[in-house]
Amino acid sequence: MSKTKNGKSGKLGKSEYYELLAPLQQELNDVARWLQHTGKRLAVVVEGRDTAGKGGVISALAETLNPRHCRTVALAKPSERETTQWYFQRYVPHLPAAGEIVLFDRSWYNRAGVETVMGFCTEPQTQAFLKQAPVFESLLVDDGILLHKYWLTVDQDKQEERFAERLADPLKRWKLSPIDLQAREKYAQYGLARDAMLKATHKPKAPWVLVDFNDQRQGRLNLIRHLLDHIPERKVPEVLFEFPPLGHEPLREQFGALPKPI
């Protein structure tokens, strides 16, 4: 449980959450400027069970950043051609270039999670992935990519609450899929797959960080704070622009014979 400003334990309120989020988002803008200034590259992998809160924390990370320099990658089901490629191949084109932030809403770890549990890959494919993933990530880090991996944890009672909320809300129903509903019956199996994944891929060069997301607002704050604390010195001079007066009355749009705006 989190603690509010008055010291009481409980779920973090919306107004307090936004008050605490604002300075973190300012620091994220400092990071973005630093990446642009230095040409560094940042990749953030966000993984977790269904309903854990991956989309929400990625939105909190990205919403105040320049979308030209920060993008989210959430790949769909692989095409027939992609299924014949080296497994990591489809992710490589999405890695960040100089000055960029890439947020992976799920990632190559699909193979260790949903594909393994739901039988979309074979046991030899799973074992090959667990062997190759640390090597792949070591190469990324050796090449200078700042790689951060987060696993969002959520208890099954919270997961059930969120599934029910999505089912009841027509604006959230798109988040549900037949695979999500099948996952309800495989909570324990997903836990075992996660443990095997962590054992094989939690390495010094690319460690996992587990974040409690039973309270999603507090979880977002904790994840962002951790990310900021583990990025090198990032302050660079901010370019300030002068904004002199126009020198005349503001002009109105003129459209002539064109259609009038609605």
Side-chain angles (χ1 to χ4, degrees):
M1 283 291 192
S2 61
K3 285 191 176 180
T4 57
K5 285 183 176 179
N6 59 18
K8 294 180 180 177
S9 294
K11 190 173 181 180
L12 190 65
K14 184 180 287 188
S15 60
E16 185 179 2
Y17 163 69
Y18 282 117
E19 184 180 343
L20 294 168
L21 178 63
L24 299 181
Q25 290 182 324
Q26 181 58 61
E27 289 189 61
L28 286 170
N29 273 270
D30 292 341
V31 169
R33 279 194 298 273
W34 175 75
L35 292 168
Q36 285 287 296
H37 183 76
T38 60
K40 298 284 187 182
R41 297 161 289 165
L42 174 61
V44 182
V45 169
V46 182
E47 289 284 345
R49 295 178 182 273
D50 295 309
T51 79
K54 296 178 290 295
V57 73
I58 285 173
S59 293
L61 285 162
E63 65 185 350
T64 64
L65 301 180
N66 186 337
R68 291 191 182 97
H69 304 143
C70 176
R71 53 193 167 84
T72 299
V73 173
L75 299 187
K77 179 181 175 181
S79 67
E80 186 175 344
R81 179 176 180 273
E82 286 172 329
T83 61
T84 68
Q85 296 174 341
W86 176 50
Y87 180 75
F88 296 92
Q89 187 172 337
R90 70 192 296 246
Y91 293 96
V92 170
H94 301 282
L95 292 168
E100 290 182 348
I101 301 171
V102 174
L103 308 171
F104 285 96
D105 184 351
R106 295 196 183 273
S107 64
W108 44 91
Y109 282 99
N110 264 358
R111 172 133 297 178
V114 65
E115 290 187 22
T116 292
V117 174
M118 302 306 297
F120 298 149
C121 67
T122 65
E123 178 62 18
Q125 286 175 322
T126 298
Q127 293 307 315
F129 170 84
L130 294 176
K131 183 178 179 180
Q132 291 178 17
V135 180
F136 174 67
E137 291 170 357
S138 179
L139 291 171
L140 300 184
V141 173
D142 286 347
D143 199 58
I145 290 178
L146 303 172
L147 177 62
H148 294 266
K149 303 188 303 188
Y150 292 98
W151 179 273
L152 315 187
T153 75
V154 60
D155 296 332
Q156 193 168 26
D157 61 341
K158 287 293 181 184
Q159 187 183 51
E160 286 290 290
E161 256 180 54
R162 293 169 191 173
F163 276 138
E165 181 186 350
R166 290 178 180 184
L167 188 62
D169 186 345
L171 299 181
K172 292 184 177 180
R173 237 170 258 157
W174 64 270
K175 295 183 176 183
L176 283 175
S177 72
I179 298 299
D180 296 330
L181 298 178
Q182 290 177 50
R184 295 177 63 223
E185 307 302 322
K186 296 180 179 290
Y187 186 91
Q189 291 95 315
Y190 269 99
L192 293 172
R194 176 209 58 214
D195 291 348
M197 177 203 76
L198 292 174
K199 183 177 179 181
T201 63
H202 179 59
K203 302 295 183 181
K205 281 189 178 180
W208 280 100
V209 177
L210 276 60
V211 189
D212 184 344
F213 260 68
N214 284 300
D215 180 337
Q216 290 181 321
R217 291 172 185 157
Q218 188 63 57
R220 290 173 204 155
L221 297 174
N222 291 342
L223 188 153
I224 296 171
R225 180 76 269 162
H226 182 277
L227 178 64
L228 290 168
D229 287 346
H230 289 79
I231 288 178
E233 178 57 42
R234 55 189 179 271
K235 276 287 187 182
V236 295
E238 186 175 358
V239 178
L240 300 177
F241 298 93
E242 292 190 12
F243 197 69
L246 275 174
H248 57 77
E249 288 295 315
L251 303 178
R252 292 180 62 85
E253 289 265 35
Q254 298 295 325
F255 294 96
L258 295 173
K260 302 298 183 187
I262 60 173

